[in-house]
Amino acid sequence: MRKRMIALSIVAVTAAFALGGCGKTASSQESGSGADGGSRELYVYNWGEYIDEDVITQFEEETGISVVYDLFETNEEMYPIIEAGAVTYDVVCPSDYMIQKMLENDLLAEINFDNIPNVEQIDPDYIQMSRAFDPENKYSVPYCWGTVGILYNTKRLEELGVEPPTRWADLWDERLSGEILMQDSVRDAFMVALKKDGHSMNTADEAELQQAKQALIDQKPLVQAYVIDQVRDKMIGGEAAVGVIYSGEMLYVQEEVADLGLDYTLEYVLPEEGTNLWLDSWVIPKNAANKENAEKWIDFLCRPEIAKANFEYITYPTPNKGAFELLDEELQNNKAVFPDKDKLVNSEVFSYLGDETDAVYNNLWKEVKSN
């Protein structure tokens, strides 16, 4: 999944890759044209396991456009590829703060929304959210969103005599020594510590960052491990009492707990102090060779039935109101996946803070990890 940062190699998902076991990648592009002279190719750069492959096949069949689909593991891996321009992609799916960085460095093309009528299916709340990194809503179309919260084992907490967490500050409870799983991510770890003390997770204030660093160092003896995707598996396995996790994991977690018949439940809570409200969106690089095909791709993915199929495959919340209306009532009412808006008070979208401030965060995180 997008937030698990799974190591994956480039996969071939088009018919062009199947014949003879070889095909084109974005780094060896050749122009392809249809009978009308228009391009019949699309080069897509996306997270691993972040689309239903049947959706790609359906797009190819409907449009006659061959999709060359490459994967990245992190925003930071993706950015220099786009910046260098040696490999040209037509459409990419970065996260909020990275879209802001790409815009500030003039790497994105303005989208022609006349070619994307299905953008009207995107809930206006997420269009508004996008203004945090795309102020005029000219360069991006929301694809998936989510939150970061605390997953907890009800039985294990009862055994420890600890009440279920409601705040980030609860992750500093000494009774949870060796029972806490933290995200091995500089911005997410600092988000927890900054929000605990009432600060913005986008702060560049030196005193606030030093306070957060010290809080993380103070917490370190209580932490079992700094992990990413392992939070989900360790919690299902009963190896820890609490873990910081992305909301997109929750459907999988709930299904696994039910299927395994465990004698405990795993619950998800959004801390009262607020959290990271993240958004991944489609953008078109400025050097895209097939811009109109990229707009066809985005429009196709905004169709409610397509967005629903993607949600069912990747399990991260969809911003597509039409797709949401097609979901079973049980899913619509799953508050771990689709929280009530009043639970998102004090939540923020990550901002790109500039290279200098990023370096400050990274250096402070090294201090935490090495202390």
Side-chain angles (χ1 to χ4, degrees):
M1 300 297 284
R2 164 243 193 268
K3 287 291 184 179
R4 295 181 208 158
M5 303 192 185
I6 293 175
L8 292 167
S9 61
I10 292 175
V11 287
V13 295
T14 72
F17 287 91
L19 186 59
C22 63
K24 292 170 289 186
T25 67
S27 57
S28 60
Q29 293 177 20
E30 303 171 6
S31 62
S33 300
D36 59 358
S39 169
R40 286 291 178 266
E41 294 179 335
L42 179 71
Y43 292 84
V44 180
Y45 205 21
N46 195 11
W47 303 84
E49 295 188 9
Y50 213 33
I51 198 168
D52 183 342
E53 290 186 13
D54 290 340
V55 164
I56 303 173
T57 301
Q58 186 176 340
F59 174 80
E60 291 181 313
E61 291 174 348
E62 286 192 16
T63 63
I65 296 169
S66 294
V67 176
V68 180
Y69 192 86
D70 289 356
L71 306 179
F72 59 85
E73 297 176 42
T74 68
N75 283 293
E76 288 67 29
E77 173 192 333
M78 173 277 300
Y79 180 83
I81 301 297
I82 302 301
E83 183 182 39
V87 180
T88 56
Y89 289 99
D90 300 312
V91 64
V92 187
C93 189
S95 301
D96 32 54
Y97 70 96
M98 191 56 69
I99 294 173
Q100 181 183 352
K101 181 176 182 178
M102 295 170 84
L103 266 175
E104 290 184 11
N105 288 285
D106 196 29
L107 296 180
L108 299 181
E110 188 172 329
I111 294 172
N112 181 357
F113 285 95
D114 289 341
N115 293 332
I116 310 178
N118 285 319
V119 73
E120 67 181 14
Q121 295 294 334
I122 303 298
D123 189 312
D125 285 347
Y126 302 101
I127 299 296
Q128 181 63 36
M129 189 192 306
S130 299
R131 290 183 176 273
F133 53 89
D134 180 6
E136 298 182 71
N137 294 126
K138 291 182 177 181
Y139 297 90
S140 63
V141 175
Y143 180 58
C144 291
W145 69 280
T147 59
V148 179
I150 302 173
L151 184 66
Y152 61 93
N153 182 318
T154 54
K155 180 181 178 182
R156 186 74 186 122
L157 287 182
E158 185 177 349
E159 291 171 347
L160 293 169
V162 178
E163 292 295 316
T166 59
R167 304 174 301 149
W168 290 121
D170 293 332
L171 298 183
W172 274 257
D173 189 328
E174 293 185 356
R175 293 174 295 177
L176 293 174
S177 178
E179 296 283 348
I180 299 171
L181 300 173
M182 285 286 287
Q183 284 289 317
D184 191 10
S185 161
V186 54
R187 290 297 298 271
D188 285 319
F190 270 82
M191 179 274 292
V192 172
L194 287 165
K195 284 293 188 184
K196 174 182 78 75
D197 292 324
H199 304 311
S200 168
M201 66 186 197
N202 292 312
T203 186
D205 182 272
E206 183 178 353
E208 293 176 355
L209 290 174
Q210 287 291 341
Q211 182 182 8
K213 180 199 76 172
Q214 188 57 52
L216 291 170
I217 291 172
D218 293 343
Q219 184 204 37
K220 197 171 178 181
L222 310 179
V223 175
Q224 180 188 122
Y226 296 98
V227 288
I228 299 177
D229 54 301
Q230 299 96 324
V231 173
R232 178 198 68 187
D233 298 326
K234 282 179 170 288
M235 291 297 295
I236 292 172
E239 297 179 38
V242 295
V244 178
I245 197 168
Y246 296 99
S247 60
E249 304 283 8
M250 287 313 301
L251 283 183
Y252 178 87
V253 168
Q254 292 166 345
E255 290 170 2
E256 282 295 292
V257 169
D259 290 346
L260 293 171
L262 302 177
D263 65 347
Y264 50 82
T265 60
L266 298 177
E267 303 292 341
Y268 180 79
V269 63
L270 291 176
E272 295 171 0
E273 303 101 325
T275 189
N276 171 16
L277 183 60
W278 57 264
L279 188 64
D280 290 343
S281 301
W282 291 106
V283 299
I284 300 175
K286 203 164 191 177
N287 64 349
N290 305 295
K291 184 172 184 287
E292 288 191 10
N293 290 350
E295 289 162 349
K296 289 178 182 178
W297 168 265
I298 296 171
D299 188 58
F300 180 80
L301 293 176
C302 287
R303 279 167 38 180
E305 68 274 17
I306 299 301
K308 175 179 180 287
N310 267 334
F311 166 73
E312 292 173 341
Y313 180 82
I314 64 180
T315 73
Y316 279 89
T318 174
N320 191 296
K321 61 186 179 183
F324 180 82
E325 291 166 1
L326 294 175
L327 298 177
D328 294 340
E329 187 175 347
E330 182 180 357
L331 272 176
Q332 292 178 343
N333 294 326
N334 188 322
K335 301 308 180 185
V337 182
F338 297 107
D340 293 329
K341 290 175 183 177
D342 62 0
K343 297 296 184 182
L344 301 177
V345 175
N346 299 323
S347 295
E348 299 176 82
V349 175
F350 274 133
S351 295
Y352 167 57
L353 302 174
D355 291 342
E356 289 187 11
T357 303
D358 280 353
V360 171
Y361 271 82
N362 289 331
N363 288 334
L364 292 175
W365 181 233
K366 288 177 184 176
E367 290 185 46
V368 172
K369 298 294 287 290
S370 63
N371 191 278

